[in-house]
């Protein structure tokens, strides 16, 4: 009799195909929990570091008024957008059904993606931020294996991106969803693979247009360390590397594709089976938490492989910073430039590692121009 009870229980835990119906969501939740634990470890070491604090503009370095206005507009606008999505996609659905919408969970996943935002600077600096924005520096220097120096000084715009990452990325997903729905209505026989490609390409275009507008008109960030042959407006401070749209828009687009293909219960692939987990059966809260962590696991994994790993390799081969790069991006942050003791990256200089600053602190220091003059004699 005990054996028959065991058999019946094992059958109840399996779906019609004989496989564990909770395996997918369980695996993604474990992956998500691993990423969250790692990020908390890095954040702890960042906030307890002696250097923790804002990167402020030094005397004599000014930010033009238009970029002050643009930066504050992004901070306020994106905060309002995120509050709107929190209410419509998390609070309101929980009140009505006990569960948040997947779009809201994806917004949470995008919030955690801020952790990897400056990952293109892993080997050497390529992106810069406006220190006029509210910032506390950033945690890059505490990520194990981070190479480029002074990563802690990068003025990551925390208020702007806390709303901007979920807000902008949710907008992009909605754009990708609209493109896929249009393609499906226009070509009913289109395969799922081609439909997914349509969605990813649409988000890539969305990213390119949005980022170029943000850079040019708000001055909140820029990509001076880019490969000019692969950039739009190459040679100017507002240049935009096309590969940013390909890699960042690529992982972002796959999140839109995930959102498109839901089952009849409104669950994406990574959430399916959550209702079968014993841990979740009697608690809407635990069910929502497992779904959220699973979605975070998907977002983090796709971002890591499609964006975080390839972008530093491209930045390591970037051309020099454009001559018209505003001083508030370089000298203003203290990361590189005249008077900072560290030259901004360029191909004729060796790549500086963060431990090189201490290793060679006692060595004679001469400027690049002085070194070129000595070599010419």
């Amino acid at each position: 009799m005990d054996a028959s009870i065991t058999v019946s229980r094992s059958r109840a835990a399996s779906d019609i195909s004989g496989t564990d119906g909770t395996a997918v969501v369980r695996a993604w939740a474990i992956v998500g929990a691993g990423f969250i634990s790692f990020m908390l470890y890095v954040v702890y070491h960042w906030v307890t570091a002696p250097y923790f604090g804002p990167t402020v503009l030094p005397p004599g370095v000014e930010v033009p008024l238009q970029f002050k206005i643009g930066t504050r507009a992004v901070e306020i606008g994106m905060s309002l957008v995120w509050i709107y999505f929190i209410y419509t996609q998390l609070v309101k659905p929980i009140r009505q059904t006990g569960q948040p919408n997947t779009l809201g969970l994806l917004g949470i996943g995008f919030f955690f993606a801020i952790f990897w935002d400056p990952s293109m600077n892993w080997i050497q600096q390529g992106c810069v931020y406006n220190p006029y924005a509210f910032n506390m520096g950033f945690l890059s220097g505490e990520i194990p294996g981070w190479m480029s120096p002074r990563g802690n000084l990068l003025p990551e715009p925390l208020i702007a991106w806390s709303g901007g990452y979920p807000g902008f990325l949710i907008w992009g997903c909605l754009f990708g969803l609209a493109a896929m729905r249009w393609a499906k209505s226009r070509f009913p026989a289109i395969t799922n693979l081609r439909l997914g490609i349509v969605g990813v390409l649409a988000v890539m275009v969305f990213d390119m247009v949005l980022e170029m507008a943000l850079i040019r008109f708000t001055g909140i960030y820029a990509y001076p360390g880019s490969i000019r042959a692969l950039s739009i407006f190459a040679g100017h401070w507002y240049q935009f590397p096309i590969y940013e749209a390909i890699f960042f828009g690529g992982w972002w687009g796959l999140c839109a594709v995930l959102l498109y293909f839901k089952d009849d219960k409104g669950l994406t692939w990574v959430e399916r089976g959550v209702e079968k987990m014993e841990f979740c059966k009697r608690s809407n809260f635990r069910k929502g938490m497992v779904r959220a962590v699973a979605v975070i696991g998907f977002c983090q994994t796709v971002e890591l492989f499609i964006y975080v790993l390839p972008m530093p390799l491209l930045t390591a081969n970037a051309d020099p910073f454009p001559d018209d790069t505003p001083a508030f991006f370089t000298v203003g942050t203290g990361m590189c430039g005249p008077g900072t003791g560290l030259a901004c990256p360029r191909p004729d200089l060796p790549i500086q590692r963060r431990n090189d600053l201490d290793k060679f602190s006692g060595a004679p220091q001469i400027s690049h121009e002085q070194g070129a003059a000595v070599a010419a004699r």
Side-chain angles (χ1 to χ4, degrees):
M1 183 174 180
D2 291 341
S4 63
I5 293 174
T6 303
V7 170
S8 63
R9 283 179 179 173
S10 65
R11 286 175 180 170
S14 302
D15 62 18
I16 195 169
S17 63
T19 59
D20 183 2
T22 68
V24 173
V25 67
R26 191 188 304 274
W28 282 113
I30 291 172
V31 171
F35 274 110
I36 292 172
S37 299
F38 173 72
M39 288 186 283
L40 290 176
Y41 165 83
V42 173
V43 169
Y44 170 78
H45 285 276
W46 173 45
V47 299
T48 57
Y51 61 74
F52 179 71
T55 296
V56 297
L57 284 162
V61 179
E62 292 293 333
V63 176
L65 179 60
Q66 69 183 86
F67 294 150
K68 289 182 178 180
I69 296 173
T71 297
R72 289 291 180 259
V74 174
E75 289 180 324
I76 296 171
M78 286 300 98
S79 296
L80 293 175
V81 168
W82 183 220
I83 290 172
Y84 170 77
F85 276 110
I86 288 176
Y87 177 73
T88 59
Q89 303 301 323
L90 294 175
V91 176
K92 190 175 179 181
I94 289 174
R95 286 179 176 176
Q96 294 175 342
T97 66
Q99 286 293 302
N101 287 344
T102 300
L103 186 62
L105 298 182
L106 205 56
I108 296 174
F110 291 151
F111 175 83
F112 279 89
I114 300 172
F115 182 91
W116 300 110
D117 179 60
S119 56
M120 68 184 300
N121 288 1
W122 198 301
I123 298 174
Q124 70 176 20
Q125 187 181 4
C127 71
V128 293
Y129 285 104
N130 187 341
Y132 184 74
F134 174 82
N135 74 90
M136 295 298 290
F138 204 52
L139 49 73
S140 302
E142 298 300 328
I143 298 177
W146 189 272
M147 289 180 59
S148 65
R150 300 179 180 172
N152 60 290
L153 293 178
L154 183 73
E156 186 80 8
L158 295 179
I159 292 179
W161 275 189
S162 292
Y165 251 75
F168 282 143
L169 270 63
I170 286 175
W171 280 352
C173 284
L174 294 176
F175 185 79
L177 288 175
M180 285 186 278
R181 287 166 183 157
W182 172 85
K184 186 66 176 178
S185 63
R186 181 71 176 80
F187 307 101
I190 189 172
T191 64
N192 287 343
L193 176 60
R194 292 180 178 178
L195 195 59
I197 292 173
V198 169
V200 172
L201 291 176
V203 176
M204 287 180 180
V205 173
F206 184 91
D207 174 72
M208 182 181 299
V209 174
L210 177 65
E211 289 207 57
M212 286 194 295
L214 274 175
I215 293 169
R216 188 70 179 270
F217 299 113
T218 73
I220 194 169
Y221 71 102
Y223 298 112
S226 302
I227 300 174
R228 296 184 184 180
L230 301 176
S231 300
I232 300 173
F233 305 121
H236 296 283
W237 71 267
Y238 47 84
Q239 64 189 4
F240 179 77
I242 298 173
Y243 48 86
E244 164 71 10
I246 293 173
F247 290 107
F248 191 88
W251 84 264
W252 180 3
L254 286 176
C255 292
V257 173
L258 175 74
L259 198 61
Y260 180 84
F261 293 102
K262 292 183 180 181
D263 62 12
D264 56 352
K265 299 175 184 176
L267 299 177
T268 63
W269 170 61
V270 300
E271 304 166 80
R272 291 175 188 173
V274 67
E275 73 281 356
K276 300 177 184 178
M277 294 179 67
E278 289 294 334
F279 178 74
C280 301
K281 284 183 177 179
R282 297 176 181 85
S283 172
N284 270 330
F285 174 77
R286 284 182 290 192
K287 181 180 177 181
M289 288 298 296
V290 170
R291 291 175 59 210
V293 175
V295 171
I296 290 170
F298 176 84
C299 291
Q300 288 284 311
T301 301
V302 176
E303 183 182 17
L304 180 67
F305 285 100
I306 294 184
Y307 183 73
V308 176
L309 294 180
M311 284 299 288
L313 300 178
L314 291 164
T315 305
N317 293 278
D319 291 299
F321 281 23
D323 293 336
D324 61 355
T325 301
F328 64 81
F329 281 136
T330 54
V331 179
T333 64
M335 295 186 70
C336 69
T340 64
L342 187 65
C344 293
R346 57 195 195 199
D348 59 334
L349 295 177
I351 292 177
Q352 295 249 23
R353 298 171 298 178
R354 61 179 178 177
N355 60 345
D356 287 342
L357 299 182
D358 293 330
K359 186 185 299 183
F360 300 108
S361 60
Q365 302 291 313
I366 62 172
S367 68
H368 174 71
E369 290 73 16
Q370 289 173 315
V374 171
R377 292 175 185 172

